[in-house]
């Protein structure tokens, strides 16, 4: 695998963001198949020095670190991840919004960089069961800086594409902040994602951001507001793709069940599954809905049955769909617990 391809790995990038050199070396060698001796030649160190680093004694000298960074060809967008926004800086910075306000001027942006960052973000989504979001926070935050720095140089079409990529990053940061209990910053990032999606004309992403806001509101204990927000996410000035429509219908169904509109919730569950069945192939879904497989669609129907207190239907639905969650241990554990809870309540 080429060096640049190795750096698409979420755990490797997280280790670099934390400056965890022992883990960087071990992970790099696991991905590349290099011996300690060959890795040493790559970075200008002896095999004994590589072994010492992997044993837990990281390098301290700036020149050694510089050789390692150069030899491993650390991507440019990671170079500033240590000096860029840290996890303590949870909310979007003013200069980030300023760059977005000056999008779409004359000139040419380096869209190759944007393509690379898009590929890496897709890897992060799939690594969430193995790498917790806070570990990747400085990396994703630095990537968002790189994306927004391209905006003033972009043509109109390029800017639209970059705004979608910025919205995806901002949504990811919002989700991590919410999971860490940082509700204010989470909503600020979500507002930023909504603005990018709207400015770029990306109706699927705008709907998805609305769906996530409805989820936050429902989780925070306000089902009426969640239902209004979820309903708004279902309708836009342009038709949604089937995958986006499925996600919006599912969230609306959960909110409807929470306000005791159970018949409506069941209808929305069926609607969500019908939309999801129209996109069985991952290539036909938006990047952030890569997980919306037929098995996931069945789990969502079971989840709405659970919210409607249809315990038998929920338990059976979870039982049938759970085998489709191979490779997602955290989600599997969540729905397994839901199934067991439903069975206790029958």
């Amino acid at each position: 695998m080429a060096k640049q391809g190795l750096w698409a790995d979420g755990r490797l990038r997280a280790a670099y963001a934390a400056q965890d050199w022992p883990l960087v070396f071990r992970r790099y060698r696991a991905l590349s198949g290099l011996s300690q001796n060959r890795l040493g030649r790559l970075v200008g160190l002896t095999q004994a020095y590589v072994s010492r680093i992997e044993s837990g004694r990281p390098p301290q000298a700036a020149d050694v670190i510089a050789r390692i960074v150069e030899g491993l060809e650390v991507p440019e967008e990671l170079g500033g991840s240590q000096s860029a926004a840290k996890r303590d800086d949870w909310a979007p910075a003013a200069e980030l919004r300023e760059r977005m306000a000056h999008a779409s001027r004359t000139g040419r942006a380096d869209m190759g960089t944007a393509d690379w960052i898009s590929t890496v973000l897709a890897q992060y989504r799939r690594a969430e069961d193995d790498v917790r979001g806070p570990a990747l926070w400085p990396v994703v935050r630095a990537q968002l800086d790189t994306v927004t720095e391209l905006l003033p140089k972009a043509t109109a079409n390029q800017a639209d594409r970059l705004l979608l990529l910025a919205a995806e990053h901002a949504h990811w940061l919002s989700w991590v902040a919410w999971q860490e209990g940082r509700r204010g910053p989470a909503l600020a990032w979500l507002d930023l994602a909504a603005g990018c999606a709207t400015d770029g004309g990306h109706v699927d992403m705008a709907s998805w951001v609305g769906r996530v806001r409805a989820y936050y509101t429902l989780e925070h204990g306000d089902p009426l507001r969640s239902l209004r927000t979820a309903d708004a996410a279902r309708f836009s000035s342009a038709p949604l793709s089937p995958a986006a429509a499925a996600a919006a219908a599912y969230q609306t169904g959960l909110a409807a069940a929470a306000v005791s509109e159970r018949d409506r919730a069941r209808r929305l569950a069926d609607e969500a599954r019908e939309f999801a069945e129209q996109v069985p192939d991952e290539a036909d879904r938006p990047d952030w809905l890569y997980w919306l497989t037929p098995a996931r669609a069945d789990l969502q129907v079971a989840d709405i049955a659970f919210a409607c207190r249809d315990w038998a239907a929920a338990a059976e639905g979870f039982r049938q769909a759970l085998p489709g969650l191979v490779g997602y241990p955290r989600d599997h554990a969540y729905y397994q617990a839901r199934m067991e809870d439903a069975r206790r309540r029958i």
Side-chain angles (χ1 to χ4, degrees), residues 20-23 25-26 29 36 47-59:
D20 185 342
W21 295 110
L23 182 55
F25 274 22
R26 291 195 299 270
R29 290 202 309 109
Q36 288 184 341
Q47 182 274 330
Y49 203 138
V50 172
S51 177
R52 188 174 73 179
I53 291 173
E54 289 192 4
S55 298
R57 288 179 287 178

Side-chain angles (χ1 to χ4, degrees), residues 40-323:
R41 290 202 299 269
L42 198 65
V43 298
L45 301 174
T46 64
Q47 182 274 330
Y49 203 138
V50 172
S51 177
R52 188 174 73 179
I53 291 173
E54 289 192 4
S55 298
R57 288 179 287 178
Q60 303 296 327
D63 63 322
V64 173
I65 293 174
R67 287 207 306 273
I68 293 172
V69 171
E70 181 179 0
L72 299 185
E73 294 185 8
V74 176
E76 182 179 348
E77 77 276 0
L78 283 183
S81 61
Q82 294 305 298
S83 59
K86 301 293 191 289
R87 254 180 283 163
D88 292 338
D89 301 326
W90 286 96
E95 64 268 19
L96 183 66
R97 295 179 182 272
E98 185 68 19
R99 287 196 293 272
M100 292 178 174
H102 291 88
S104 186
R105 293 182 177 177
T106 58
R108 298 287 295 176
D110 178 10
M111 298 306 287
T113 299
D115 290 340
W116 164 246
I117 290 174
S118 179
T119 298
V120 169
L121 184 61
Q123 295 294 326
Y124 292 163
R125 295 190 187 102
R126 288 159 174 77
E128 281 190 274
D129 272 313
D130 298 320
V131 183
R132 281 182 50 79
L136 290 171
W137 178 279
V139 185
V140 176
R141 183 65 181 80
Q143 287 180 187
L144 179 56
D145 278 338
T146 301
V147 171
T148 56
E149 284 164 3
L150 295 173
L151 277 167
K153 308 170 188 175
T155 64
N157 288 338
Q158 289 175 337
D160 287 347
R161 188 168 154 218
L162 289 168
L163 284 167
L164 175 59
L165 189 53
E168 292 183 60
H169 278 74
H171 155 258
W172 191 95
L173 293 166
S174 169
W175 182 255
V176 173
W178 184 267
Q179 296 302 314
E180 293 298 308
R182 306 278 182 161
R183 289 174 175 163
L187 290 172
W189 284 114
L190 206 60
D191 286 343
L192 192 67
C196 290
T198 301
D199 288 351
H202 302 290
V203 294
D204 277 358
M205 174 52 77
S207 172
W208 174 251
V209 170
R211 181 263 178 203
V212 173
R213 182 180 286 277
Y215 168 81
Y216 290 172
T217 307
L218 184 60
E219 190 177 66
H220 197 47
D222 193 343
L224 282 172
R225 184 174 299 175
S226 176
L227 182 57
R228 287 200 300 267
T229 305
D231 258 332
R234 295 178 61 213
F235 304 103
S236 66
S237 56
L240 298 175
S241 71
Y250 163 62
Q251 188 61 48
T252 309
L254 289 178
V259 297
S260 299
E261 294 184 12
R262 294 178 183 174
D263 288 341
R264 186 185 179 204
R266 295 183 186 101
R267 289 195 300 272
L268 285 162
D270 292 337
E271 179 181 318
R273 178 157 54 187
E274 289 171 7
F275 277 124
E277 288 172 349
Q278 296 177 34
V279 282
D281 297 326
E282 184 175 336
D284 296 327
R285 306 171 210 141
D287 290 345
W288 58 94
L289 291 176
Y290 72 93
W291 47 266
L292 189 56
T293 62
R296 289 278 189 168
D298 290 339
L299 281 169
Q300 291 182 348
V301 172
D303 214 20
I304 290 179
F306 187 96
C308 290
R309 300 177 180 270
D310 294 340
W311 308 124
E316 180 60 16
F318 288 136
R319 184 192 69 78
Q320 292 185 10
L322 271 172

